[in-house]
Amino acid sequence: MTAAPAVTMDNARPTPFHYRIAVFSAGGMLIDGYILGVLTIALPLLPTNFGMTPLWEGLVGSSALIGLFLGALTLGLLADRIGRKKLYTLDLVLFLVASVAQFFLQDALQLFLVRLVAGLAIGADYAVSPTYLAEFLPTKLRGPLLSSLAAIWRVGFLAAVVVGFLLQDMGPDAWRWILASSAVPSAVIAALRIGVPESPRWLVQQGRHAEAEAIVKRHISPDATIDDIVLRAGHGQHREPRPLRTLLSRTWRGRTFFAGFFWIAQSTPQTAIFTFLPTVFLSLGVEGGGATVLQNVFFAVGGLVGMVVINRVGRRRLLISTFWLMAFSVTALAVLPRPGATIVIVCLSLYAFIEAVAGNLQFVYPSELFPTSLRGAGTGMAAALSRIGAAFGTFVFPILLASFGIRAVMIGTVAFLVLGALVSHRMAPETGRDGLTEDDGRPHDEVERGGRVLSPE
């Protein structure tokens, strides 16, 4: 029996390089959250002749999510074919172009189209950043640093809200400056990502072992080897990649569905509520921007707490418990006909905090569920599926609110979160204790669920 290498990518000690690429990846997520967050403040400031009707509000609110769906699905597939490095840099250029273009918009249609392009960049980053980061990190850092992507996303969203409030008094064109302000972080992160190395795990999949080992020795440890990766990569049947067919095959379709569904169940109510948060507060009888900022503070803090607890609690237990807690947190808004301002603020702040803790799993689970040959496609597919629900929820939210009222919307939110808990109880595996899968054969033969050991299928 061959002894395991003394130093591998999975058991390596943390290095400055690990934290550096975590910062680069988190920077992309900060921009993702920022681009989505600025719309919350800019929408109410659009001029009356801009052509914003309830229909266009829904379309504009969901435009970036539609682009995210397309970008995550197509560019995630591309990342498995051409590598992580190119898209990891180029998507930031697209962020920058779309951010600057928002300053020159003239009507709702142009806003929809530019936000659609920004969504393509966000989708690419959703697929590539967690994949790239996961493939460098040792096992013990994967949970905290991958979950930091979601935490920093929330910081970006909060930063956008704060910047929006600071800029909203700049006059009739304040909304232009608010939307275009995302160009600043986009330019900074784009410059930082230039020159990053290719993923060694992806290089091994291409048979480029010497390049992979040189990168590992330079950035991880001079004593590190890739022997374990090469060995595990050799277990699968290497053929012309057909990622969509493989993701939907009998072997992987359960994980593909689960990765997309839990993300849908988390993001659909969250995205709709946060996009129209000032409107939600007004519908519940709470006035002033302070409540919006407060809830976003809880949202950001929850993401940071999630980084700390993810390894201690475990992926499966954290996911299921937070679905139940989120449903409980907004039940009062669904039951009480006229909740007071204090109840509204407490309920939505508690929901924001718990959702942020749970949402950290969105960039952890997909990266751990799929092998290297499918990781970009699988992560992109999960992000794409999640955007179907988020885009639909954001599109219909103002229509449902106008037709049925906020109480009906909250009843639907509770029901959706309960469904998420039930499906996760049935399907969620625990992935935090394993090294990353390298080949496209079966997933780990057995996973722990609820104290029992069951087949992943």
Side-chain angles (χ1 to χ4, degrees):
M1 183 174 182
T2 304
V7 180
T8 68
M9 292 190 73
D10 285 329
N11 67 17
R13 296 187 179 209
T15 69
F17 174 76
H18 289 134
Y19 295 107
R20 190 160 63 249
I21 60 170
V23 170
F24 297 169
S25 299
M29 292 300 165
L30 183 142
I31 300 167
D32 298 346
Y34 193 101
I35 286 177
L36 294 175
V38 289
L39 190 64
T40 301
I41 308 303
L43 271 178
L45 301 179
L46 294 174
T48 55
N49 63 351
F50 206 73
M52 295 298 290
T53 64
L55 175 62
W56 274 112
E57 282 187 12
L59 287 172
V60 168
S62 61
S63 58
L65 303 176
I66 297 170
L68 198 160
F69 166 79
L70 297 173
L73 185 61
T74 58
L75 298 178
L77 297 174
L78 188 61
D80 287 333
R81 288 182 175 270
I82 69 171
R84 314 338 186 178
K85 176 180 176 179
K86 294 178 182 177
L87 290 177
Y88 191 68
T89 304
L90 291 177
D91 66 345
L92 268 297
V93 176
L94 196 56
F95 274 135
L96 183 58
V97 171
S99 296
V100 172
Q102 290 180 112
F103 186 85
F104 303 98
L105 301 173
Q106 300 298 322
D107 55 37
L109 174 60
Q110 292 180 10
L111 178 58
F112 171 80
L113 293 175
V114 171
R115 300 283 299 179
L116 188 70
V117 173
L120 288 171
I122 296 174
D125 210 59
Y126 269 41
V128 177
S129 279
T131 296
Y132 181 82
L133 182 58
E135 290 179 354
F136 273 105
L137 293 178
T139 301
K140 67 180 180 180
L141 285 184
R142 245 186 12 243
L145 291 189
L146 281 175
S147 67
S148 74
L149 301 184
I152 297 301
W153 186 99
R154 287 158 178 80
V155 172
F157 198 103
L158 173 61
V161 172
V162 172
V163 170
F165 276 114
L166 293 175
L167 298 181
Q168 64 181 346
D169 296 326
M170 292 183 63
D173 286 334
W175 63 272
R176 296 184 186 275
W177 292 103
I178 292 171
L179 290 175
S181 63
S182 58
V184 176
S186 297
V188 172
I189 302 302
L192 290 175
R193 286 190 180 182
I194 295 173
V196 296
E198 183 57 85
S199 162
R201 295 180 188 270
W202 182 83
L203 289 171
V204 168
Q205 289 288 324
Q206 311 309 307
R208 295 158 62 179
H209 297 176
E211 293 177 60
E213 187 154 32
I215 290 171
V216 170
K217 288 185 179 297
R218 178 181 178 185
H219 295 285
I220 307 300
S221 169
D223 299 323
T225 76
I226 59 168
D227 292 348
D228 62 317
I229 302 175
V230 174
L231 180 64
R232 281 180 285 166
H235 286 172
Q237 295 180 350
H238 298 283
R239 53 188 178 274
E240 185 66 23
R242 295 178 180 177
L244 285 179
R245 177 181 295 183
T246 305
L247 287 173
L248 299 177
S249 68
R250 187 168 181 267
T251 300
W252 293 101
R253 65 191 176 203
R255 291 196 170 199
T256 301
F257 171 80
F258 164 70
F261 179 82
F262 94 81
W263 204 336
I264 288 174
Q266 286 183 349
S267 64
T268 299
Q270 177 264 320
T271 307
I273 289 173
F274 270 78
T275 299
F276 299 102
L277 190 55
T279 304
V280 171
F281 275 120
L282 288 174
S283 300
L284 290 165
V286 178
E287 297 184 5
T292 300
V293 174
L294 178 64
Q295 201 211 21
N296 277 277
V297 169
F298 275 88
F299 195 47
V301 172
L304 299 177
V305 171
M307 291 173 57
V308 176
V309 304
I310 188 167
N311 277 354
R312 299 179 183 180
V313 177
R315 282 49 158 167
R316 171 183 165 82
R317 185 182 301 174
L318 184 64
L319 181 66
I320 296 171
S321 62
T322 49
F323 267 128
W324 287 116
L325 289 172
M326 282 189 287
F328 175 77
S329 70
V330 294
T331 296
L333 304 182
V335 173
L336 299 177
R338 290 187 181 88
T342 300
I343 293 177
V344 170
I345 294 173
V346 169
C347 286
L348 286 180
S349 296
L350 184 60
Y351 165 78
F353 177 83
I354 300 168
E355 199 286 330
V357 173
N360 284 12
L361 291 166
Q362 294 168 6
F363 298 115
V364 178
Y365 247 142
S367 298
E368 295 179 341
L369 287 170
F370 299 103
T372 299
S373 59
L374 296 173
R375 192 163 293 120
T379 303
M381 174 70 79
L385 290 175
S386 76
R387 295 310 100 180
I388 295 176
F392 178 76
T394 305
F395 172 69
V396 302
F397 186 89
I399 299 172
L400 292 177
L401 186 62
S403 301
F404 302 103
I406 190 64
R407 189 179 176 190
V409 172
M410 288 301 162
I411 291 172
T413 298
V414 172
F416 205 59
L417 292 170
V418 169
L419 178 63
L422 296 175
V423 172
S424 296
H425 181 79
R426 174 68 183 86
M427 300 191 68
E430 179 55 59
T431 59
R433 296 184 295 270
D434 302 317
L436 294 181
T437 305
E438 298 299 335
D439 63 56
D440 60 354
R442 286 180 59 83
H444 295 289
D445 291 336
E446 296 177 330
V447 293
E448 184 180 3
R449 293 184 184 155
R452 295 183 299 159
V453 177
L454 301 175
S455 164
E457 293 183 25

